[in-house]
Amino acid sequence: MRVLIFFMMSLLTYEAQAQCRTFKLTSKGDTLNCTDANDKKRGRWKIHVDPIRGNLGYDEEGEFADNRKEGIWRKYNTMGDVIAIQNYKWGNLDGISQYFGIAGLERDESWRAMNPEKAFDTLMVEDINDENKYIPVIIPNDGKSLKHGTWTWYRPGSTGIVKTETYFLGKVKLPGEEKKPVDPIVKKEEPKKEIPKEVQNFEKKNSGKKVIKTRDGRTGG
C-alpha cells in the first residue's frame, strides 16, 4: 500500500514538473515556483523580497493561477513571524485581509476584486447595512480592487477597537447615510387650465380672420 501511495505521489509530481518550463523542488520533493511554457506563473510559489530603500524585507507564499495571485497568501517577516494574511482573486485583493504587528492583529481590511478582463462589471454585492441582502451594481472596471466593507483598527495587544471605516465599492460611507440611494426628484406636470366652452367656440369661429383696429374716439399717443 505504501509503495502504491509513493508511486501515485511520484506520478503527480512528475506530471506537474512536465508542465513547468522552470521550477524548484522542496526537500520533500514538492514542486514550487513553476513557470509554464508561456512564462506564466502557476501553482504554489514562495517569494523572497530583500529590504530596499528603508522598506523591510519579507517572504510570502501562496498560489498563482494564470500568472495571477489566487486564494490565500501569507507574508512573513525575516524572523518568520506572520505579518499579513491576504486573499486574492484575479490577482487583486478580495475579501478580508489581516495585518499583524509584534503585539498581534493590528487591522482588518475588506476588499472587492474586479475582473481585469472586463471594461464594466455587474456585481452582486452584500449590502453593508444588511448582511442578508445583495444588490446588483454596474460599475466601470479599471482592473483593480475596491475598498468594500468594514475596515477595523485594533488596539495593540488586545481585541479593543480603535476605529472603523465602512466602504461601499471604493467610497467611504459616513455615519447616518441612508441605506438606499435617494430616489431622484421627479418634476410633476402642472394641470392644464380648462378653457371655457364659450371661449373655445369663439376662437374656432373667428380663427383665420384679420384683426381690424377701430377708433373709439379716444385721443392720445
Side-chain angles (χ1 to χ4, degrees):
M1 186 67 178
R2 292 182 179 178
V3 175
L4 179 60
I5 294 175
F6 177 79
F7 174 76
M8 294 298 295
M9 292 181 63
S10 299
L11 182 60
L12 292 174
T13 301
Y14 175 78
E15 290 179 354
Q17 294 174 3
Q19 297 174 355
C20 300
R21 185 179 62 82
T22 62
F23 61 90
K24 294 181 180 179
L25 291 177
T26 66
S27 58
K28 296 181 180 180
D30 297 326
T31 303
L32 287 177
N33 296 21
C34 170
T35 303
D36 64 20
N38 296 316
D39 290 329
K40 292 185 176 182
K41 298 173 183 176
R42 58 182 298 171
R44 187 181 171 199
W45 271 69
K46 286 188 176 182
I47 300 172
H48 174 75
V49 178
D50 291 320
I52 184 172
R53 289 192 284 273
N55 295 319
L56 300 177
Y58 61 87
D59 294 282
E60 61 179 344
E61 62 179 3
E63 292 195 2
F64 276 96
D66 198 24
N67 215 40
R68 296 170 179 161
K69 288 182 176 180
E70 191 76 17
I72 298 175
W73 276 72
R74 289 179 171 81
K75 187 178 290 187
Y76 306 87
N77 61 19
T78 54
M79 302 296 291
D81 301 315
V82 176
I83 56 176
I85 299 176
Q86 301 168 302
N87 285 275
Y88 284 88
K89 186 176 183 179
W90 299 309
N92 294 319
L93 289 172
D94 184 69
I96 302 298
S97 290
Q98 297 180 311
Y99 298 87
F100 304 85
I102 297 175
L105 181 62
E106 292 185 340
R107 73 181 185 277
D108 290 332
E109 297 180 354
S110 184
W111 294 88
R112 182 76 189 208
M114 302 295 292
N115 188 343
E117 296 180 356
K118 294 183 179 180
F120 291 87
D121 212 341
T122 302
L123 305 177
M124 293 300 297
V125 296
E126 181 180 329
D127 190 326
I128 55 180
N129 295 298
D130 185 355
E131 62 182 9
N132 297 315
K133 180 180 179 182
Y134 286 80
I135 55 177
V137 179
I138 300 176
I139 58 176
N141 182 6
D142 60 1
K144 299 179 181 179
S145 297
L146 297 175
K147 294 179 179 180
H148 185 73
T150 302
W151 286 40
T152 305
W153 284 261
Y154 298 95
R155 187 171 292 107
S158 72
T159 57
I161 296 175
V162 176
K163 69 172 183 176
T164 61
E165 291 180 355
T166 304
Y167 295 86
F168 186 84
L169 296 178
K171 296 182 179 180
V172 65
K173 287 202 60 123
L174 301 176
E177 285 187 333
E178 295 293 336
K179 181 187 299 183
K180 299 180 180 178
V182 179
D183 294 332
I185 299 175
V186 180
K187 185 178 180 181
K188 296 182 178 179
E189 294 185 0
E190 296 182 359
K192 295 182 179 180
K193 295 181 179 181
E194 185 177 353
I195 301 175
K197 187 174 182 180
E198 293 80 2
V199 176
Q200 294 181 28
N201 292 335
F202 177 82
E203 290 179 347
K204 183 177 181 181
K205 182 178 179 181
N206 293 278
S207 63
K209 293 183 179 181
K210 293 183 179 180
V211 178
I212 302 174
K213 292 184 179 181
T214 58
R215 297 181 64 89
D216 58 4
R218 289 182 295 181
T219 60

